[in-house]
Structures are given as structure tokens and as C-alpha cells.
């Protein structure tokens, strides 16, 4: 499904229900994830993904296992993000436990530079069964990050497992 968002969105492949901001643009043509933006994918983007034993994380090849603690899931997520070859100046701003979709998880915020532009990323991660779910917000630190951080937190707060 591709097009404008309008409220509650259910994705059977991901097993999630989210309340999306109205009038944003969504692209869920990728089997393992959904992309949502207001101003364009290079300017502000929410990315929702699910990885399991049959689809390990692409950069590190790591996956999660049933019963993995949220602190260990946070480590897996950070390792994945650090391995992107085009990022420089990677710096963790905060990492803390958080509940997502009724499951114990983590909230990680970090900054980096890509092609000379400073970006900020907030990633919520949680394990359900043998799957790692990630809900991310990625935007340039200037202007766009602060503009869409509140809608992002609302999307995360609305997340429910199907």
C-alpha cells in the first residue's frame, strides 16, 4: 500500500497496528518494513520494521531470540546502526528501557553525519517471540527533527501487536 495516511493503519506482515498522522505519505511496498514521511524521505522519516531468524539485520547479520532482554536488544540495534559505512561521528545521546506495544523494550537516541549533514535518530525496539521490532524516526537535526518528534512519539505510543 502506498499513499496518504489517514488514522489507524494495520499491517499484517509486521503484525502491528499504528495510528498514523493524517495526510502524511506512506510506502509499505517493502515486505519487511513501512516508511512514513511528511516532507520527503530524506527530510523526515518514520521507519517500522520487523526482523526474525529468517531475516537477520542486514548490516551485522545479527538476530534476536525468544526471551531476549531489552538491554540486549538495544545492543543488537546499536551494533546494526554503527555498521553503516556512510555514517560518521556516530554518538549515542541516550539509551533507556521503554515499553512499546505492551512489551518491554528500549529507546535509543543517537546522532551522526551523512554527507556532511547532521542527523538525529530515535529508535524504539522490542522483542516479541523471536522477532525484533524497530520503530525509528530519522531526520536532519536542524528544523525537521523537532518538527516531527511529537507525531513520532504519538505513533510509538499507539503501537499495538495484532
Amino acid at each position: 500500500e502506498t499513499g496518504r495516511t489517514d488514522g489507524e493503519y494495520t499491517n499484517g506482515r509486521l503484525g502491528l497496528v499504528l495510528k498514523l498522522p493524517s495526510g502524511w505519505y506512506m510506502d509499505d511496498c517493502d515486505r519487511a518494513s513501512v516508511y512514513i514521511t511528511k516532507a520527503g524521505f530524506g527530510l523526515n522519516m518514520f521507519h517500522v520494521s520487523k526482523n526474525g531468524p529468517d531475516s537477520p539485520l542486514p548490516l551485522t547479520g545479527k538476530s534476536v531470540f525468544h526471551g531476549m532482554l531489552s538491554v540486549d536488544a538495544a545492543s543488537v540495534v546499536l551494533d546494526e546502526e554503527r555498521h553503516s559505512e556512510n555514517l560518521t561521528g556516530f554518538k549515542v545521546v541516550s539509551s533507556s528501557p521503554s515499553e512499546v506495544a505492551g512489551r518491554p523494550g528500549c529507546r535509543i537516541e543517537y546522532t551522526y553525519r551523512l554527507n556532511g549533514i547532521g542527523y538525529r535518530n530515535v529508535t524504539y525496539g522490542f522483542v516479541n517471540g523471536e522477532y525484533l521490532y524497530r520503530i525509528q524516526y530519522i531526520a536532519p537535526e536542524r528544523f525537521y527533527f523537532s518538527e516531527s518528534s511529537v507525531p513520532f512519539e504519538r505513533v510509538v505510543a499507539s503501537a499495538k501487536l495484532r
Side-chain angles (χ1 to χ4, degrees):
E1 182 178 341
T2 300
R4 293 284 173 193
T5 60
D6 187 25
E8 191 167 281
Y9 166 72
T10 301
N11 184 300
R13 291 185 315 255
L14 295 175
L16 282 176
V17 177
L18 303 166
K19 288 184 185 169
L20 302 178
S22 292
W24 286 42
Y25 181 81
M26 175 182 59
D27 183 349
D28 73 349
C29 62
D30 180 338
R31 296 194 53 129
S33 58
V34 175
Y35 301 89
I36 304 146
T37 185
K38 179 179 181 182
F41 291 111
L43 300 175
N44 67 346
M45 177 176 66
F46 301 170
H47 179 225
V48 183
S49 62
K50 173 182 171 183
N51 295 85
D54 58 339
S55 60
L57 296 172
L59 299 177
T60 61
K62 291 184 177 183
S63 57
V64 299
F65 55 86
H66 185 72
M68 180 179 249
L69 299 175
S70 61
V71 67
D72 296 326
S75 177
V76 169
V77 169
L78 277 173
D79 283 351
E80 179 71 9
E81 300 303 323
R82 281 189 182 114
H83 275 81
S84 180
E85 63 188 48
N86 298 321
L87 304 185
T88 60
F90 187 93
K91 179 182 176 192
V92 176
V93 175
S94 65
S95 178
S96 60
S98 183
E99 185 173 294
V100 186
R103 305 284 305 154
C106 60
R107 181 187 189 278
I108 305 164
E109 187 169 345
Y110 58 92
T111 59
Y112 60 89
R113 297 190 72 70
L114 177 64
N115 298 325
I117 299 171
Y119 284 85
R120 185 170 289 263
N121 180 312
V122 175
T123 298
Y124 283 87
F126 69 96
V127 176
N128 186 44
E130 54 191 17
Y131 292 96
L132 171 65
Y133 289 80
R134 291 183 293 165
I135 305 175
Q136 300 177 284
Y137 173 41
I138 307 154
E141 282 192 280
R142 288 187 150 177
F143 183 71
Y144 286 102
F145 185 82
S146 62
E147 179 187 70
S148 298
S149 59
V150 170
F152 171 71
E153 295 294 339
R154 287 184 187 138
V155 168
V156 173
S158 77
K160 292 183 233 169
L161 288 165
R162 283 186 76 224

